[in-house]
Amino acid sequence: MAGEKKAKAKAEQAEGKAKETVGRAVGNERLEAEGRTKQSKGDARQAKEKAKDVFKH
């Protein structure tokens, strides 16, 4: 289960980075902002999973 959540965090980060890059390339500020938001969500999810791992050990 934890592996799935970690993978989801990585996927969100990657998707966010892609959206941000595309948004910047085409000059779409909304898409760029959505990408940054998605990356932040993935970062938060990853931090949560890392914290869980610390307390498990």
Short mmCIF file of all heavy atoms in Angstrom, two decimals:
data_model
loop_
_atom_site.label_atom_id
_atom_site.label_comp_id
_atom_site.label_asym_id
_atom_site.label_seq_id
_atom_site.Cartn_x
_atom_site.Cartn_y
_atom_site.Cartn_z
N MET A 1 0.81 -1.19 0.00
CA MET A 1 0.00 0.00 0.00
C MET A 1 0.87 1.27 0.00
O MET A 1 0.61 2.18 -0.75
CB MET A 1 -0.94 -0.02 1.20
CG MET A 1 -1.91 1.11 1.23
SD MET A 1 -3.08 0.96 -0.11
CE MET A 1 -4.47 1.74 0.61
N ALA A 2 1.87 1.29 0.84
CA ALA A 2 2.72 2.48 0.91
C ALA A 2 3.45 2.70 -0.41
O ALA A 2 3.65 3.85 -0.83
CB ALA A 2 3.71 2.35 2.05
N GLY A 3 3.83 1.62 -1.06
CA GLY A 3 4.50 1.74 -2.35
C GLY A 3 3.61 2.40 -3.39
O GLY A 3 4.08 3.19 -4.21
N GLU A 4 2.33 2.09 -3.35
CA GLU A 4 1.38 2.69 -4.29
C GLU A 4 1.27 4.19 -4.06
O GLU A 4 1.22 4.97 -5.00
CB GLU A 4 0.00 2.06 -4.13
CG GLU A 4 -0.11 0.65 -4.64
CD GLU A 4 -1.49 0.07 -4.39
OE1 GLU A 4 -2.46 0.81 -4.22
OE2 GLU A 4 -1.58 -1.16 -4.35
N LYS A 5 1.24 4.58 -2.80
CA LYS A 5 1.11 6.00 -2.47
C LYS A 5 2.37 6.76 -2.86
O LYS A 5 2.29 7.90 -3.32
CB LYS A 5 0.79 6.18 -0.99
CG LYS A 5 -0.61 5.72 -0.65
CD LYS A 5 -0.93 5.93 0.80
CE LYS A 5 -2.34 5.44 1.11
NZ LYS A 5 -2.69 5.64 2.51
N LYS A 6 3.52 6.13 -2.67
CA LYS A 6 4.78 6.77 -3.07
C LYS A 6 4.82 6.93 -4.58
O LYS A 6 5.27 7.95 -5.10
CB LYS A 6 5.97 5.96 -2.58
CG LYS A 6 6.19 6.07 -1.10
CD LYS A 6 7.37 5.23 -0.67
CE LYS A 6 7.52 5.26 0.83
NZ LYS A 6 8.61 4.42 1.30
N ALA A 7 4.36 5.91 -5.29
CA ALA A 7 4.33 5.97 -6.75
C ALA A 7 3.37 7.06 -7.23
O ALA A 7 3.66 7.78 -8.19
CB ALA A 7 3.93 4.62 -7.33
N LYS A 8 2.25 7.20 -6.53
CA LYS A 8 1.28 8.23 -6.90
C LYS A 8 1.89 9.62 -6.68
O LYS A 8 1.70 10.51 -7.50
CB LYS A 8 0.01 8.08 -6.07
CG LYS A 8 -1.08 9.03 -6.48
CD LYS A 8 -2.39 8.74 -5.78
CE LYS A 8 -3.47 9.69 -6.28
NZ LYS A 8 -4.76 9.39 -5.70
N ALA A 9 2.65 9.77 -5.62
CA ALA A 9 3.31 11.05 -5.35
C ALA A 9 4.29 11.38 -6.46
O ALA A 9 4.33 12.51 -6.96
CB ALA A 9 4.03 11.01 -4.00
N LYS A 10 5.08 10.40 -6.86
CA LYS A 10 6.05 10.61 -7.95
C LYS A 10 5.33 10.95 -9.25
O LYS A 10 5.77 11.80 -10.01
CB LYS A 10 6.93 9.37 -8.15
CG LYS A 10 7.95 9.16 -7.08
CD LYS A 10 9.04 10.18 -7.20
CE LYS A 10 10.15 9.88 -6.23
NZ LYS A 10 11.13 10.96 -6.17
N ALA A 11 4.23 10.26 -9.52
CA ALA A 11 3.46 10.51 -10.74
C ALA A 11 2.90 11.93 -10.74
O ALA A 11 2.92 12.62 -11.76
CB ALA A 11 2.34 9.49 -10.88
N GLU A 12 2.39 12.37 -9.58
CA GLU A 12 1.86 13.73 -9.49
C GLU A 12 2.96 14.76 -9.72
O GLU A 12 2.76 15.76 -10.41
CB GLU A 12 1.24 13.98 -8.12
CG GLU A 12 -0.14 13.41 -7.97
CD GLU A 12 -0.76 13.67 -6.62
OE1 GLU A 12 -0.03 13.88 -5.63
OE2 GLU A 12 -2.00 13.64 -6.56
N GLN A 13 4.13 14.49 -9.17
CA GLN A 13 5.25 15.41 -9.36
C GLN A 13 5.63 15.49 -10.84
O GLN A 13 5.85 16.57 -11.37
CB GLN A 13 6.45 14.97 -8.53
CG GLN A 13 6.25 15.16 -7.04
CD GLN A 13 7.33 14.49 -6.22
OE1 GLN A 13 7.83 13.43 -6.59
NE2 GLN A 13 7.69 15.09 -5.11
N ALA A 14 5.72 14.33 -11.48
CA ALA A 14 6.11 14.29 -12.89
C ALA A 14 5.06 14.96 -13.77
O ALA A 14 5.39 15.73 -14.68
CB ALA A 14 6.33 12.84 -13.33
N GLU A 15 3.80 14.68 -13.49
CA GLU A 15 2.72 15.28 -14.27
C GLU A 15 2.72 16.80 -14.09
O GLU A 15 2.55 17.55 -15.05
CB GLU A 15 1.37 14.71 -13.84
CG GLU A 15 0.20 15.24 -14.63
CD GLU A 15 -1.14 14.69 -14.17
OE1 GLU A 15 -1.18 13.72 -13.40
OE2 GLU A 15 -2.15 15.26 -14.60
N GLY A 16 2.94 17.23 -12.86
CA GLY A 16 2.98 18.66 -12.58
C GLY A 16 4.13 19.33 -13.31
O GLY A 16 3.98 20.42 -13.87
N LYS A 17 5.28 18.70 -13.30
CA LYS A 17 6.45 19.25 -13.97
C LYS A 17 6.19 19.37 -15.47
O LYS A 17 6.53 20.37 -16.10
CB LYS A 17 7.68 18.37 -13.71
CG LYS A 17 8.96 18.93 -14.28
CD LYS A 17 9.34 20.22 -13.61
CE LYS A 17 10.69 20.70 -14.08
NZ LYS A 17 11.00 22.03 -13.56
N ALA A 18 5.56 18.34 -16.04
CA ALA A 18 5.25 18.36 -17.47
C ALA A 18 4.27 19.49 -17.80
O ALA A 18 4.47 20.23 -18.77
CB ALA A 18 4.67 17.01 -17.90
N LYS A 19 3.22 19.63 -16.99
CA LYS A 19 2.24 20.69 -17.22
C LYS A 19 2.90 22.06 -17.12
O LYS A 19 2.63 22.95 -17.92
CB LYS A 19 1.11 20.62 -16.19
CG LYS A 19 -0.02 19.74 -16.56
CD LYS A 19 -1.16 19.91 -15.56
CE LYS A 19 -2.39 19.18 -15.99
NZ LYS A 19 -3.51 19.39 -15.07
N GLU A 20 3.73 22.22 -16.11
CA GLU A 20 4.41 23.50 -15.92
C GLU A 20 5.29 23.83 -17.13
O GLU A 20 5.28 24.95 -17.64
CB GLU A 20 5.25 23.47 -14.65
CG GLU A 20 5.95 24.78 -14.36
CD GLU A 20 6.82 24.74 -13.11
OE1 GLU A 20 7.00 23.67 -12.52
OE2 GLU A 20 7.33 25.81 -12.76
N THR A 21 6.03 22.84 -17.59
CA THR A 21 6.93 23.04 -18.73
C THR A 21 6.15 23.38 -19.99
O THR A 21 6.52 24.31 -20.72
CB THR A 21 7.79 21.78 -18.95
OG1 THR A 21 8.53 21.52 -17.75
CG2 THR A 21 8.75 21.95 -20.10
N VAL A 22 5.08 22.65 -20.25
CA VAL A 22 4.26 22.91 -21.44
C VAL A 22 3.62 24.29 -21.33
O VAL A 22 3.61 25.06 -22.30
CB VAL A 22 3.19 21.81 -21.64
CG1 VAL A 22 2.19 22.21 -22.70
CG2 VAL A 22 3.85 20.48 -21.99
N GLY A 23 3.10 24.60 -20.16
CA GLY A 23 2.48 25.91 -19.96
C GLY A 23 3.46 27.04 -20.22
O GLY A 23 3.12 28.04 -20.84
N ARG A 24 4.68 26.87 -19.73
CA ARG A 24 5.71 27.90 -19.94
C ARG A 24 6.05 27.99 -21.43
O ARG A 24 6.22 29.09 -21.96
CB ARG A 24 6.96 27.57 -19.12
CG ARG A 24 8.00 28.67 -19.13
CD ARG A 24 9.18 28.40 -18.23
NE ARG A 24 8.76 28.28 -16.85
CZ ARG A 24 9.09 27.26 -16.06
NH1 ARG A 24 9.84 26.29 -16.50
NH2 ARG A 24 8.68 27.22 -14.82
N ALA A 25 6.15 26.85 -22.09
CA ALA A 25 6.54 26.82 -23.50
C ALA A 25 5.51 27.51 -24.40
O ALA A 25 5.87 28.18 -25.36
CB ALA A 25 6.76 25.39 -23.96
N VAL A 26 4.24 27.33 -24.09
CA VAL A 26 3.20 27.91 -24.94
C VAL A 26 2.67 29.23 -24.40
O VAL A 26 1.78 29.84 -24.99
CB VAL A 26 2.01 26.92 -25.17
CG1 VAL A 26 2.49 25.67 -25.87
CG2 VAL A 26 1.30 26.60 -23.88
N GLY A 27 3.20 29.68 -23.27
CA GLY A 27 2.78 30.95 -22.71
C GLY A 27 1.44 30.90 -22.01
O GLY A 27 0.75 31.90 -21.91
N ASN A 28 1.06 29.74 -21.52
CA ASN A 28 -0.22 29.57 -20.84
C ASN A 28 0.02 29.59 -19.33
O ASN A 28 0.44 28.60 -18.73
CB ASN A 28 -0.87 28.25 -21.27
CG ASN A 28 -2.26 28.06 -20.71
OD1 ASN A 28 -2.58 28.53 -19.64
ND2 ASN A 28 -3.09 27.33 -21.46
N GLU A 29 -0.25 30.73 -18.71
CA GLU A 29 0.02 30.89 -17.28
C GLU A 29 -0.84 29.97 -16.42
O GLU A 29 -0.39 29.50 -15.38
CB GLU A 29 -0.19 32.34 -16.86
CG GLU A 29 0.86 33.28 -17.44
CD GLU A 29 0.64 34.72 -17.04
OE1 GLU A 29 -0.15 34.97 -16.11
OE2 GLU A 29 1.26 35.58 -17.67
N ARG A 30 -2.09 29.75 -16.84
CA ARG A 30 -2.98 28.89 -16.06
C ARG A 30 -2.45 27.46 -16.02
O ARG A 30 -2.41 26.83 -14.96
CB ARG A 30 -4.40 28.89 -16.65
CG ARG A 30 -5.41 28.12 -15.80
CD ARG A 30 -6.81 28.15 -16.41
NE ARG A 30 -6.88 27.51 -17.69
CZ ARG A 30 -7.01 26.19 -17.88
NH1 ARG A 30 -7.07 25.38 -16.86
NH2 ARG A 30 -7.08 25.70 -19.10
N LEU A 31 -2.01 26.95 -17.15
CA LEU A 31 -1.46 25.60 -17.23
C LEU A 31 -0.18 25.50 -16.40
O LEU A 31 0.04 24.52 -15.69
CB LEU A 31 -1.19 25.20 -18.68
CG LEU A 31 -0.78 23.76 -18.94
CD1 LEU A 31 -1.87 22.79 -18.46
CD2 LEU A 31 -0.52 23.55 -20.42
N GLU A 32 0.63 26.53 -16.47
CA GLU A 32 1.87 26.57 -15.70
C GLU A 32 1.56 26.54 -14.20
O GLU A 32 2.19 25.80 -13.43
CB GLU A 32 2.63 27.84 -16.07
CG GLU A 32 4.04 27.88 -15.58
CD GLU A 32 4.78 29.12 -16.06
OE1 GLU A 32 4.37 29.75 -17.05
OE2 GLU A 32 5.80 29.45 -15.43
N ALA A 33 0.57 27.31 -13.78
CA ALA A 33 0.17 27.35 -12.37
C ALA A 33 -0.40 26.00 -11.92
O ALA A 33 -0.12 25.53 -10.81
CB ALA A 33 -0.84 28.45 -12.13
N GLU A 34 -1.21 25.38 -12.78
CA GLU A 34 -1.75 24.05 -12.47
C GLU A 34 -0.62 23.05 -12.26
O GLU A 34 -0.68 22.20 -11.37
CB GLU A 34 -2.66 23.55 -13.59
CG GLU A 34 -4.01 24.18 -13.62
CD GLU A 34 -4.85 23.68 -14.80
OE1 GLU A 34 -4.49 22.67 -15.44
OE2 GLU A 34 -5.88 24.32 -15.08
N GLY A 35 0.40 23.16 -13.08
CA GLY A 35 1.56 22.26 -12.96
C GLY A 35 2.27 22.45 -11.64
O GLY A 35 2.63 21.48 -10.98
N ARG A 36 2.48 23.70 -11.25
CA ARG A 36 3.14 23.96 -9.97
C ARG A 36 2.31 23.43 -8.81
O ARG A 36 2.84 22.86 -7.85
CB ARG A 36 3.39 25.45 -9.79
CG ARG A 36 4.59 25.94 -10.57
CD ARG A 36 5.00 27.33 -10.15
NE ARG A 36 3.95 28.32 -10.31
CZ ARG A 36 3.73 29.05 -11.40
NH1 ARG A 36 4.51 28.90 -12.44
NH2 ARG A 36 2.75 29.93 -11.44
N THR A 37 0.99 23.59 -8.90
CA THR A 37 0.09 23.10 -7.86
C THR A 37 0.16 21.58 -7.77
O THR A 37 0.24 21.01 -6.67
CB THR A 37 -1.37 23.53 -8.15
OG1 THR A 37 -1.41 24.96 -8.19
CG2 THR A 37 -2.32 23.02 -7.10
N LYS A 38 0.16 20.92 -8.91
CA LYS A 38 0.22 19.46 -8.94
C LYS A 38 1.55 18.96 -8.35
O LYS A 38 1.58 17.99 -7.60
CB LYS A 38 0.07 18.97 -10.39
CG LYS A 38 -0.14 17.51 -10.55
CD LYS A 38 -1.59 17.16 -10.34
CE LYS A 38 -1.89 15.80 -10.89
NZ LYS A 38 -3.26 15.42 -10.70
N GLN A 39 2.64 19.67 -8.68
CA GLN A 39 3.94 19.30 -8.12
C GLN A 39 3.92 19.44 -6.60
O GLN A 39 4.42 18.58 -5.88
CB GLN A 39 5.04 20.19 -8.67
CG GLN A 39 5.54 19.80 -10.02
CD GLN A 39 6.66 20.72 -10.45
OE1 GLN A 39 6.57 21.93 -10.35
NE2 GLN A 39 7.72 20.13 -10.94
N SER A 40 3.35 20.52 -6.11
CA SER A 40 3.29 20.76 -4.67
C SER A 40 2.48 19.68 -3.97
O SER A 40 2.85 19.21 -2.89
CB SER A 40 2.68 22.12 -4.37
OG SER A 40 3.50 23.14 -4.85
N LYS A 41 1.41 19.28 -4.60
CA LYS A 41 0.58 18.21 -4.04
C LYS A 41 1.38 16.91 -3.97
O LYS A 41 1.33 16.20 -2.97
CB LYS A 41 -0.68 18.02 -4.90
CG LYS A 41 -1.68 17.09 -4.32
CD LYS A 41 -2.94 17.06 -5.19
CE LYS A 41 -3.94 16.05 -4.69
NZ LYS A 41 -5.11 15.96 -5.55
N GLY A 42 2.13 16.62 -5.00
CA GLY A 42 2.97 15.42 -5.01
C GLY A 42 4.07 15.51 -3.97
O GLY A 42 4.38 14.53 -3.29
N ASP A 43 4.66 16.70 -3.81
CA ASP A 43 5.69 16.91 -2.79
C ASP A 43 5.13 16.66 -1.40
O ASP A 43 5.76 16.01 -0.56
CB ASP A 43 6.26 18.33 -2.86
CG ASP A 43 7.08 18.58 -4.11
OD1 ASP A 43 7.49 17.62 -4.78
OD2 ASP A 43 7.30 19.77 -4.42
N ALA A 44 3.93 17.17 -1.14
CA ALA A 44 3.30 17.00 0.17
C ALA A 44 3.00 15.53 0.43
O ALA A 44 3.22 15.02 1.53
CB ALA A 44 2.03 17.83 0.25
N ARG A 45 2.49 14.85 -0.58
CA ARG A 45 2.17 13.43 -0.44
C ARG A 45 3.45 12.63 -0.15
O ARG A 45 3.47 11.76 0.70
CB ARG A 45 1.50 12.91 -1.70
CG ARG A 45 1.01 11.48 -1.60
CD ARG A 45 0.40 10.99 -2.90
NE ARG A 45 -0.68 11.81 -3.40
CZ ARG A 45 -1.96 11.66 -3.05
NH1 ARG A 45 -2.30 10.73 -2.21
NH2 ARG A 45 -2.88 12.44 -3.56
N GLN A 46 4.53 12.97 -0.85
CA GLN A 46 5.79 12.27 -0.65
C GLN A 46 6.33 12.52 0.76
O GLN A 46 6.80 11.59 1.42
CB GLN A 46 6.81 12.71 -1.69
CG GLN A 46 8.10 11.92 -1.63
CD GLN A 46 9.06 12.34 -2.73
OE1 GLN A 46 9.10 13.49 -3.14
NE2 GLN A 46 9.84 11.39 -3.21
N ALA A 47 6.24 13.75 1.24
CA ALA A 47 6.71 14.07 2.58
C ALA A 47 5.91 13.30 3.63
O ALA A 47 6.47 12.80 4.61
CB ALA A 47 6.60 15.57 2.83
N LYS A 48 4.62 13.19 3.41
CA LYS A 48 3.76 12.44 4.33
C LYS A 48 4.18 10.98 4.39
O LYS A 48 4.28 10.39 5.47
CB LYS A 48 2.31 12.57 3.87
CG LYS A 48 1.31 11.82 4.70
CD LYS A 48 -0.09 12.04 4.13
CE LYS A 48 -0.92 10.80 4.30
NZ LYS A 48 -2.18 10.84 3.60
N GLU A 49 4.44 10.40 3.24
CA GLU A 49 4.84 8.99 3.19
C GLU A 49 6.21 8.78 3.84
O GLU A 49 6.43 7.79 4.54
CB GLU A 49 4.85 8.47 1.75
CG GLU A 49 3.47 8.36 1.14
CD GLU A 49 2.52 7.50 1.95
OE1 GLU A 49 2.91 6.40 2.39
OE2 GLU A 49 1.37 7.94 2.17
N LYS A 50 7.12 9.72 3.64
CA LYS A 50 8.44 9.61 4.27
C LYS A 50 8.31 9.70 5.78
O LYS A 50 9.00 8.98 6.51
CB LYS A 50 9.38 10.70 3.75
CG LYS A 50 9.92 10.41 2.38
CD LYS A 50 10.91 11.48 1.95
CE LYS A 50 11.47 11.17 0.57
NZ LYS A 50 12.45 12.17 0.16
N ALA A 51 7.44 10.58 6.25
CA ALA A 51 7.22 10.71 7.70
C ALA A 51 6.66 9.41 8.27
O ALA A 51 7.06 8.97 9.36
CB ALA A 51 6.29 11.87 7.99
N LYS A 52 5.75 8.80 7.55
CA LYS A 52 5.18 7.52 8.01
C LYS A 52 6.28 6.47 8.12
O LYS A 52 6.30 5.70 9.08
CB LYS A 52 4.12 7.02 7.02
CG LYS A 52 2.80 7.67 7.13
CD LYS A 52 1.86 6.95 6.14
CE LYS A 52 0.56 7.60 5.95
NZ LYS A 52 -0.26 6.89 4.97
N ASP A 53 7.18 6.45 7.14
CA ASP A 53 8.27 5.48 7.15
C ASP A 53 9.17 5.67 8.37
O ASP A 53 9.62 4.71 8.98
CB ASP A 53 9.12 5.58 5.88
CG ASP A 53 8.42 5.03 4.66
OD1 ASP A 53 7.40 4.32 4.83
OD2 ASP A 53 8.88 5.31 3.54
N VAL A 54 9.43 6.91 8.73
CA VAL A 54 10.29 7.21 9.88
C VAL A 54 9.67 6.64 11.16
O VAL A 54 10.35 6.05 11.98
CB VAL A 54 10.52 8.73 10.01
CG1 VAL A 54 11.15 9.08 11.36
CG2 VAL A 54 11.40 9.22 8.87
N PHE A 55 8.36 6.83 11.30
CA PHE A 55 7.71 6.36 12.51
C PHE A 55 7.48 4.86 12.55
O PHE A 55 7.31 4.28 13.62
CB PHE A 55 6.39 7.10 12.72
CG PHE A 55 6.59 8.54 13.10
CD1 PHE A 55 6.27 9.57 12.23
CD2 PHE A 55 7.11 8.87 14.34
CE1 PHE A 55 6.47 10.89 12.57
CE2 PHE A 55 7.33 10.19 14.71
CZ PHE A 55 6.99 11.20 13.82
N LYS A 56 7.51 4.21 11.40
CA LYS A 56 7.35 2.76 11.35
C LYS A 56 8.61 2.05 11.85
O LYS A 56 8.56 0.96 12.36
CB LYS A 56 7.04 2.29 9.92
CG LYS A 56 5.63 2.54 9.52
CD LYS A 56 5.38 1.99 8.13
CE LYS A 56 3.96 2.28 7.69
NZ LYS A 56 3.72 1.81 6.33
N HIS A 57 9.76 2.68 11.66
CA HIS A 57 11.01 2.03 12.03
C HIS A 57 11.44 2.43 13.37
O HIS A 57 11.62 2.83 14.21
CB HIS A 57 12.11 2.36 11.00
CG HIS A 57 11.78 1.78 9.66
ND1 HIS A 57 11.48 2.58 8.59
CD2 HIS A 57 11.67 0.53 9.22
CE1 HIS A 57 11.22 1.82 7.55
NE2 HIS A 57 11.34 0.56 7.91
#
